[in-house]
Every structure is written in C-alpha cells, then in structure tokens.
Amino acid sequence: MSRRRTLAAATLAVAVLTSCARPAPPPRPAPRVSATPIAAAAHAPAWTAAEMRALQAKLSAALGPSALASSGIAIVDAQGRPLFLRRERTPFTPASTFKVLVGATALEMLGPQFRFPTTFESLAEPQDGTLHGDVYLVGTGDPTLTRDDLRAGVAALARTGVRSVDGALVADASVFAGAEVNHDWDADDLQYGYAAGTSALALDQGTVEFHLEPTSVGAPVRIQVVPPSDAVRVRGGLVTGYSTMLTIQRDPSRNDFTFDGHVSPYAEQSFWRPVVGLPQYTAEVARAMMRRRGITIEGGVKTGLAPLAPSVLWRHRSPPLGTIVREMFFESNNHFAEQLLRAVGATRGVGTEANGALVERAELDRVGAPSAGLHVVDGSGLAPTDRIAPLTLATLLARVAAERIGPAFVSALPRVGIEGTVRRRGVTDALGRARAKSGHIKNVNALTGYVDTRRHGRVAFAILVNDRRADDGPVDQGISDALDVLARS
C-alpha cells in the first residue's frame, strides 16, 4: 500500500525520531554599529500633529526625485497606522521583496524550529548484506539538501551492512506537485542557477557543478561533473586558450549540457547550472555514491511512492526554518523561496504553487493586511507578473513583528548598509537601525522592512518602484534619505 506524503506527516516524524542535522554555516562578519536594530518600543509616544507634518514634508522631499515620484509607498507605525502613503493600494511588481510574504507565512505555518526531513526507507531490514525489495529516497522539500548530506546518508546505509539491493532505488518527491520550472519566468533566466526548479527532492539547490581545469594552451579543458552521476551528459568541449570566453547550454528537456569556447590556463573555476527531473537526478547521484561504497542497485532508479509503514534506514534534518528564512533574506535565494511556497502549500494537502498562494492570502487575511490586487505567480518574485500593494507589505510587516514569530522574522532581515543584499545602500542615521529586503528585476527597484526611529519606536515600510528609471542614482539615494529621515524621527 502506498500514499502521497504530506508535510504534516513529515512534521510528526521529525518530532518523534532523532537524527543528525547539518550545522548552519557561520555568520558573516559585519561592521560594528552602535545602535541595537529594531527595538519594539512598545510605549513609544505617538507623533504629534506638528511632528507628522514635518515628517511628511521631509519624506516627500526624499521620495520625490525621478521615478520615486510615481512609485508605490506605504510607511506605517508599529500598530499599522499610516505615516506616509503614496499609491499604497496600487498593485506593483515586487521583485524579491515578495520573499517576505513567503517567509512570514512559512514561519507562521511551520514554526521557526521546523526542520525538513530526508530519508532512506525500506519495507525490510537488511539481511546478510542484501536489502530485499526497493529502497526509497524520500524528500519533503528541504531547500538546503547537499551532496555532502546525501553522501552521509549513503555512508549510513553502508554501515548497516547493505551490499546489494535486489529492488530499485525509488525517489519519492510526492509532497510537492506541479511543474518544476515556473512558466512565467523569463526564458533567458532558465540557464542559470538562480532559476533552478522546485521539487520535494532537490539536491544542491537544484543545480549541478561543472569544475573546469584548463591545461596547456591548445589542449582540451578537463570538465568535471560534481557530483558525478549517469544523469548528466557533457557534449562539445572547451579549449585552453589565452583568454576565457565560453558558453554552457542545456537541452531544455534533459540534462545534456553542451560546452563551447576557450578558458585561460590560469582560470580554474566552477559553474553551477540547473538540472531538470530533480527527483530522478538526486536518486541517480545517490546510486553513483552507493556504487563507490560497494552497494549495487539491481533494479535501477525510478520515481514513485514510498510505503506507508517503512523501516527508516537514515534520516537527515535540515537546519531550522528560522535559519533557512534568514539565509533566503540575506542572499535573496530564489530556490529557498520556491521550496517554501510549495511547503506552505503542502499544509493544505499537496505542495503546489496554487495551494501556496492560497495559504499566503489566508495569512494576509489573518493579520488584517489588505490583499486586493494580489497576484502570486511564484514565491521568489522572479516573475515580472507578480503583484502586491505597498500597503499589503507594510501592514504584514507591522503585524508580524508583534506576533510570536516576530523576533525570528525581524532578525532574519539583513541590516541596511551592513550585510546581505542591502549592504551597499548608503544610509547614515539608519545604519544599524534599519533591516530590509531588497528587490531587483528589470525596471523594478524595491525595498521593504523596518526602521527603528529615535523617539517613536519601530516603523514598517514598503517602497516599490516600477519604472524604466528604477535603477537611476536618484532613486537609490532617495530611498536611503527616506530611511535616514525615519531613523532621526
């Protein structure tokens, strides 16, 4: 008897079984700052009428140049009361600021301590070195699963004494459903790792590494596939030359990669490219690892459903969800966001983008954030057809900060001018007093987050610029000036 896995079942399994989790990477060093960012200031005094007039005049001046004049802006206090509004209910393309919606929803639905399990399972225990029947590699959506994690699983399997499996290696990714690659993404993006696919069983963020080792001028470049497997095929080749200019093209429907060009003899380097058929690919990598451990799989590799009452041979748990969300915000990781959208969708039965969108809308309704005009195409904001109103983002941030997940959510956002994708924003008074998520795609420049004011506590803001002049210098300067105005308030 078999079934489609559910995230609820995975959550229960994590609660009752132990495992070894991969430690989170050490935090990156950051400059010292004097202010403690984002103090709640529950009893901060409200703005007087005179202070409000002065604040709005200063913000109008800061947010007036270039494309900022027609942008969407919402700035609210800790209770969600408006401080400065401009086209606040107009739906805009949010780019990567959309990730705050999936991050808040995932933390609320699953909790900051939730960990995604990945397992090897079977119906029977090994006997005399043989595992009778199939062995199942079961994923539940871990965005962080790496080749090293999988290698540790194969090593654990070898330690049980298994030397042969007389069935197949079956990849079970049934927690999620739907196309791996979002059809609304720009086709030009699909050759790059930041547009990798989504699956409940994805390895190395849906990518494969090609390590290039040039030799002597005129000789071929050695192309190493990492991790090695039968799933990836290399066509064409590269020549060691006096400079580096190369292309790597993947067949749209299979993992055939064609190389062309030349590489400098001093340019040993790696490139990461997305793969398709993620569950099958991950299982093929696992089989190659098993082969090197002396474990044979008689029945090959296939996809399918694991049995209802398995014997768990190995269990890996991801880092806590709070750590995953933090990395997603800091690095603007699209793969993490897409995995989380389907993970929250799985709380409604199966992890689809459509179910994820329904859960996100329900979260906005729960906190009282307006959702008119909301259009959820993906979790990452990579799709130019995503839409959300600035007031929706600002209200969501204000309300979430005051809830049980507030500390985890707020601290997951990078400090403006200091770290993450917002480290190069030129703030002064707001340095150490603002945390935010940025967003950039063609003709979009967006920022949403918090500022800790000097006298009036925390404020939440969303600034969405949709214009061909979005990346002009006056736009970035105006946004930074507005954050400094708020910090001084």
Side-chain angles (χ1 to χ4, degrees), residues 24-366:
R28 294 175 174 81
R32 292 183 179 274
V33 291
S34 58
T36 300
I38 316 303
H43 304 293
W47 274 267
T48 65
E51 287 174 329
M52 280 292 293
R53 287 192 297 271
L55 176 68
Q56 292 184 2
K58 293 174 183 177
L59 289 173
S60 293
L63 296 168
S66 188
L68 284 169
S70 58
S71 62
I73 303 170
I75 302 172
V76 301
D77 69 10
Q79 287 72 45
R81 295 173 298 206
L83 299 173
F84 185 90
L85 303 174
R86 178 188 293 160
R87 301 182 69 192
E88 72 280 2
R89 294 183 182 272
T90 301
F92 284 80
T93 301
S96 285
T97 60
F98 218 29
K99 291 181 175 73
V100 301
L101 176 55
V102 75
T105 305
L107 289 171
E108 173 61 30
M109 296 301 298
L110 301 174
Q113 297 307 313
F114 175 80
R115 297 172 185 257
F116 293 90
T118 304
T119 56
F120 278 124
E121 303 176 1
S122 68
L123 278 175
E125 297 286 345
Q127 294 183 355
D128 299 325
T130 298
L131 188 63
H132 296 289
D134 297 332
V135 61
Y136 300 87
L137 176 57
V138 182
T140 62
D142 183 359
T144 69
L145 187 70
T146 69
R147 69 192 74 155
D148 291 336
D149 299 329
L150 190 58
R151 191 176 294 110
V154 171
L157 198 62
R159 286 195 295 272
T160 68
V162 173
R163 289 297 173 262
S164 68
V165 176
D166 62 15
L169 174 57
V170 181
D172 183 348
S174 59
V175 169
F176 292 177
E180 287 184 352
V181 177
N182 193 297
H183 297 302
D184 280 65
W185 289 354
D186 190 322
D188 291 340
D189 290 331
L190 302 182
Q191 290 288 336
Y192 300 101
Y194 62 79
T198 307
S199 171
L201 186 59
L203 190 68
D204 294 330
Q205 300 184 38
T207 67
V208 62
E209 177 187 354
F210 296 105
H211 186 70
L212 309 183
E213 298 179 6
T215 53
S216 57
V217 173
V221 173
R222 287 191 290 266
I223 303 173
Q224 182 181 7
V225 180
V226 185
S229 74
D230 297 334
V232 173
R233 291 160 294 278
V234 173
R235 315 290 190 193
L238 300 170
V239 175
T240 305
Y242 291 103
S243 62
T244 297
M245 182 175 293
L246 62 99
T247 61
I248 307 172
Q249 294 292 326
R250 192 199 69 214
D251 184 296
S253 61
R254 65 190 69 185
N255 294 317
D256 292 352
F257 293 83
T258 301
F259 286 72
D260 185 46
H262 45 87
V263 178
S264 164
Y266 309 106
E268 184 171 330
Q269 58 197 289
S270 287
F271 292 85
W272 284 261
R273 291 293 185 266
V275 292
V276 294
L278 290 165
Q280 181 88 15
Y281 167 77
T282 303
E284 289 283 5
V285 171
R287 179 170 67 166
M289 291 176 174
M290 290 177 183
R291 188 183 301 133
R292 288 192 294 278
R293 279 275 183 172
I295 302 173
T296 59
I297 305 290
E298 301 294 337
V301 171
K302 62 183 181 179
T303 59
L305 297 172
L308 276 172
S311 173
V312 177
L313 306 172
W314 168 76
R315 183 181 300 275
H316 169 77
R317 296 195 303 161
S318 72
L321 180 60
T323 301
I324 293 172
V325 170
R326 183 180 188 273
E327 185 172 343
M328 177 180 71
F329 287 165
F330 266 59
E331 302 302 329
S332 201
N333 190 302
N334 293 335
H335 181 70
F336 283 19
E338 299 306 328
Q339 296 284 116
L340 293 186
L341 179 65
R342 297 205 196 190
V344 300
T347 64
R348 289 199 170 212
V350 60
T352 63
E353 290 167 338
N355 276 347
L358 289 174
V359 177
E360 287 186 333
R361 189 177 291 272
E363 173 65 5
L364 292 173
D365 291 342
R366 186 188 68 81

